[in-house]
């Protein structure tokens, strides 16, 4: 199976990446000779891969990195050691950088610059994949700028971000841009069925509910409890009739999102702390030295930032799902002929459409978008959600 098989609905992007990877192989074959060949012109040493959440930015970057390291007869064969180790994230010449906090700090950026200077130890290229490049702070982005502008001939930078505007102009102008699109729900459903473990009906419902976000669709298709939690999160705010119901709905949304975020990070946090204590030669509850306390405190601060981002991401995902309800409502109100996203909530969608006007629906969409912006600006989650939920109730 080719490394490109995991990219769904991205035929144009795959064609460009495959052409570039083939050119990269020609460059390797002709190193020491002229670099101005036509084959070399399709390849760039710095790429900016953009697309909405769920479009597969990181998947595309990893597949491209694998194709660059491929030694098989067909570029991106998926079976040679270069492809397999890169797709498995174990290739020593491919560095993956991401963050589970709100920012990639300058220390991490400088570390990537240093790694980019090293020649490949086994593979054909040194590839630096920055999966959350939009989270580079200004100082971190500036630290990368010179390395991206004048990289060693053996280094390739792959930066992933939701849109070009999420990157500072100086980096954006030095990268070749590749834009991805959201795949269709049917294409995502077909992928889930091919992977196994779900029926076509559940796969399509999950793909629509996830708005073609492949990772989320995969999780929804495999976890009935997650599907139930999603319905609970989005139906409560959409069904409020009074201020009291709105406050309770906001509280339930926050608690459900917090439970989801805790489940996501708690096991890893415990594993990291146990590993640190082992390295320090300490048992749980044992008194620590001054140096040990500093290291433990730093770990706890990192984990706190990770937990905060996980909660913010869980709430934001819930609000995106809530927006999908009103997208369906508006489509019914204006007589659109598109398919519903929330096929499992048809009764609720039609009831809201009947009880409101398109203007009211657009106002509710605006309230939800405002809540998302306030959360990104570190607004108090409960207060933000309460204000939003109150704004969604029918106006008398």
């Amino acid at each position: 199976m080719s490394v490109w098989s995991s990219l769904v609905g991205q035929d144009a992007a795959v064609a460009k990446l495959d052409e570039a990877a083939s050119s990269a192989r020609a460059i390797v074959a002709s190193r020491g000779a002229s670099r101005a060949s036509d084959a070399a012109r399709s390849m760039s040493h710095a790429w900016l891969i953009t697309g909405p959440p769920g479009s597969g930015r990181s998947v595309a970057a990893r597949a491209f990195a694998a194709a660059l390291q491929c030694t098989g007869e067909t570029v991106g064969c998926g079976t040679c050691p270069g492809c397999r180790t890169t797709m498995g994230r174990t290739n020593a010449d491919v560095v993956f950088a991401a963050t589970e906090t709100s920012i990639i700090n300058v220390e991490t950026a400088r570390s990537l610059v240093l790694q980019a200077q090293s020649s490949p130890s086994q593979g054909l290229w040194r590839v630096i994949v920055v999966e959350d490049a939009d989270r580079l702070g200004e100082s971190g982005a500036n630290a990368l700028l010179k390395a991206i502008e004048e990289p060693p001939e053996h280094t390739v930078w792959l930066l992933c971000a939701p849109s070009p505007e999420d990157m500072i102009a100086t980096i954006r102008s030095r990268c070749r841009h590749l834009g991805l699109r959201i795949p269709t729900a049917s294409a995502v459903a077909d992928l889930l069925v091919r992977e196994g473990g779900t029926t076509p009906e559940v796969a399509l419902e999950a793909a629509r509910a996830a708005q073609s976000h492949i990772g989320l669709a995969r999780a929804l298709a495999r976890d009935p409890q997650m599907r139930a939690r999603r319905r609970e999160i989005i139906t409560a705010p959409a069904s409020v009739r009074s201020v009291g119901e709105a406050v309770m709905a906001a509280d339930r949304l926050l608690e459900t999102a917090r439970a989801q975020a805790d489940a996501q990070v708690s096991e890893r946090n415990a594993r990291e702390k146990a590993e640190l204590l082992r390295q320090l030669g300490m048992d749980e509850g044992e008194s620590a030295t001054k140096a040990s306390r500093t290291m433990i405190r730093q770990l706890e601060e990192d984990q706190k930032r990770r937990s905060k981002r996980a909660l913010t991401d869980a709430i934001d995902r819930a609000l995106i799902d809530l927006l999908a309800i009103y997208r369906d409502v508006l489509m019914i109100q204006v007589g659109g002929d598109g398919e519903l996203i929330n096929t499992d909530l048809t009764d609720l969608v039609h009831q809201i459409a009947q009880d409101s006007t398109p203007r009211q629906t657009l106002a509710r969409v605006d309230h939800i978008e405002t809540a998302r912006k306030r959360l990104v600006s570190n607004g108090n989650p409960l207060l933000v959600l309460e204000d939003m939920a109150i704004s969604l109730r029918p106006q008398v």
Side-chain angles (χ1 to χ4, degrees), residues 24-98:
R25 178 173 288 190
I27 291 172
V28 172
S30 63
R31 275 181 180 162
S34 171
R35 295 287 300 279
S37 67
D38 291 339
R41 290 173 187 162
S42 297
M43 181 57 188
S44 171
H45 282 73
W47 292 73
L48 176 58
I49 302 174
T50 66
S55 57
R57 300 185 302 260
S58 297
V59 175
R62 183 173 53 174
F64 186 33
L68 292 175
Q69 304 293 14
C70 180
T71 57
E73 183 176 344
T74 302
V75 175
C77 68
T79 57
C80 72
C83 286
R84 287 188 288 104
T85 56
T86 303
M87 295 302 287
R89 295 176 177 262
T90 59
N91 190 304
D93 293 319
V94 182
V95 178
F96 291 94

Side-chain angles (χ1 to χ4, degrees), residues 100-102 135 257-258 260-266 269 303-317:
E100 291 174 319
T101 61
S102 59
R135 293 184 182 269
R258 181 173 286 121
Q260 182 175 328
D262 288 346
Q264 178 182 332
V265 301
S266 58
N269 287 350
Q303 292 179 341
K304 186 180 296 184
R305 286 191 289 269
R306 178 192 299 155
S307 297
K308 181 180 179 181
R309 176 179 169 182
L311 177 59
T312 301
D313 287 350
I315 297 173
D316 189 62
R317 184 67 242 178

Side-chain angles (χ1 to χ4, degrees), residues 102 308 312 316 370-379 384:
S102 59
K308 181 180 179 181
T312 301
D316 189 62
T370 298
R372 294 182 66 200
K373 293 174 183 176
R374 288 176 176 171
L375 286 169
V376 172
S377 301
N378 292 317
V384 169

